[in-house]
């Protein structure tokens, strides 16, 4: 089974978007050869708007999501990567996308140590191709940050999360959903590091952004309020936590 370029991008985007909120990676591009790495006027052809074709992409996605199918998916992606390296070169964006797919598969298998150099390679490759602030570069930075956090390498993950947040904020604005996700990811990292005082203003900022973007009663806003309340309780700020519960009409669960 050989994947064409559009199918693989669609499958990768669907897989990334299916992840839990803590690790939401929100690819805005991941479209090798279709977006320029800055410098205005991005080329015609629809940029990152890929048709969501099914077929092989759906089959790949099922293999990646079904743990029983991981052993079948691994040689598929390994062969695909080797083929692209030979045909297009090790630093070509299409090759880097295959590197990312294989890294995600290894991560799904629990082979985090094997996945790390692949995510590192993809990040450095996209940075060389497109520059440090291109969407695909930032997505790759976030991929590596998520992996490092899951490996408990929190001090290595932090500057990567900070970099993604700075890029999202400058490109998309402070209240864009992608920026809010990046604020949340950094806040959770700081919480995991045992730095609640640093995490608190980020959780508060994310809540204000969610309320502004989605509205007070939206599920995203309530989730954000519940996360902030949990941190306040962790910090012993019970009065503030209770006030937040009443303001946003949160359940005790």
């Amino acid at each position: 089974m050989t994947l064409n370029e559009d199918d693989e991008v669609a499958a990768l985007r669907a897989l990334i978007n299916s992840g839990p909120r803590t690790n939401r990676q929100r690819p805005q591009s991941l479209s090798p050869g279709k977006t320029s790495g800055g410098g205005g006027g991005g080329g015609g052809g629809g940029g990152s708007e890929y048709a969501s074709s099914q077929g092989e992409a759906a089959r790949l996605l099922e293999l990646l999501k079904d743990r029983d199918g991981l052993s079948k998916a691994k040689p598929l992606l390994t062969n695909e990567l080797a083929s692209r390296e030979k045909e297009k070169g090790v630093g070509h964006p299409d090759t880097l996308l295959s590197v990312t797919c294989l890294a995600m598969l290894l991560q799904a298998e629990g082979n985090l140590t094997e996945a790390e150099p692949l995510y590192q390679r993809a990040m450095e490759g996209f940075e060389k191709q497109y520059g440090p602030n291109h969407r695909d570069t930032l997505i790759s930075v976030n991929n590596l940050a998520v992996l490092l956090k899951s490996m408990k390498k929190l001090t290595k993950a932090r500057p990567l999360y900070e970099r993604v947040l700075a890029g999202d904020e400058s490109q998309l604005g402070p209240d864009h959903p992608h920026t809010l996700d990046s604020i949340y990811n950094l806040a959770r990292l700081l919480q995991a590091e045992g730095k609640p005082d640093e995490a608190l203003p980020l959780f508060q900022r994310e809540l204000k952004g969610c309320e502004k973007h989605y509205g007070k009663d939206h599920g995203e806003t309530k989730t954000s309020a519940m996360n902030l309340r949990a941190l306040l309780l962790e910090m012993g700020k019970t009065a503030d936590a209770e006030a937040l519960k009443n303001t946003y009409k949160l359940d005790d669960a």
Side-chain angles (χ1 to χ4, degrees), residues 47-58:
S48 64
E49 296 303 317
Y50 275 84
S52 168
S53 56
Q54 296 303 312
E56 290 180 319

Side-chain angles (χ1 to χ4, degrees), residues 129-247:
Q129 282 287 328
Y130 294 141
N133 296 314
H134 187 275
R135 294 309 306 163
D136 287 354
T137 304
L138 293 175
I139 290 163
S140 295
V141 173
N142 198 64
N143 288 342
L144 180 57
V146 168
L147 181 78
L148 291 171
K149 184 183 176 214
S150 68
M151 296 173 76
K152 310 301 181 187
K153 297 183 178 182
L154 304 183
T155 55
K156 290 182 68 175
R158 179 171 178 172
L160 299 180
Y161 276 127
E162 289 172 336
R163 178 178 169 186
V164 174
L165 174 55
D168 283 348
E169 192 167 19
S170 65
Q171 293 178 25
L172 305 172
D175 299 319
H176 191 282
H178 296 183
T179 305
L180 297 176
D181 286 340
S182 292
I183 294 169
Y184 175 79
N185 284 342
L186 180 56
R188 287 298 294 245
L189 179 78
L190 292 167
Q191 186 179 18
E193 282 188 307
K195 298 176 180 177
D197 290 334
E198 293 184 53
L200 180 59
L202 290 174
F203 277 117
Q204 291 170 329
R205 178 181 164 193
E206 192 228 1
L207 175 57
K208 288 181 181 178
C210 284
E211 186 169 353
K212 181 177 179 180
H213 186 84
Y214 298 112
K216 186 175 179 179
D217 297 322
H218 192 277
E220 284 288 333
T221 306
K222 287 188 177 292
T223 297
S224 182
M226 286 189 288
N227 290 329
L228 175 55
R229 180 172 179 250
L231 180 67
L232 290 169
L233 290 171
E234 178 185 316
M235 298 173 72
K237 297 178 180 287
T238 53
D240 291 342
E242 189 64 21
L244 196 70
K245 175 186 174 183
N246 294 333
T247 299

Side-chain angles (χ1 to χ4, degrees), residues 58-94:
R59 289 168 60 197
L60 170 65
L61 191 56
E62 285 308 306
L63 286 172
L64 290 174
K65 292 179 72 174
D66 177 4
R67 293 192 66 85
D68 292 336
L70 294 180
S71 60
K72 302 174 188 175
K74 191 170 183 177
L76 172 85
L77 295 182
T78 301
N79 291 339
E80 188 75 15
L81 173 57
S83 175
R84 287 188 170 179
E85 285 178 328
K86 183 177 180 180
E87 293 173 8
K88 300 188 176 186
V90 295
H92 192 281
D94 295 350

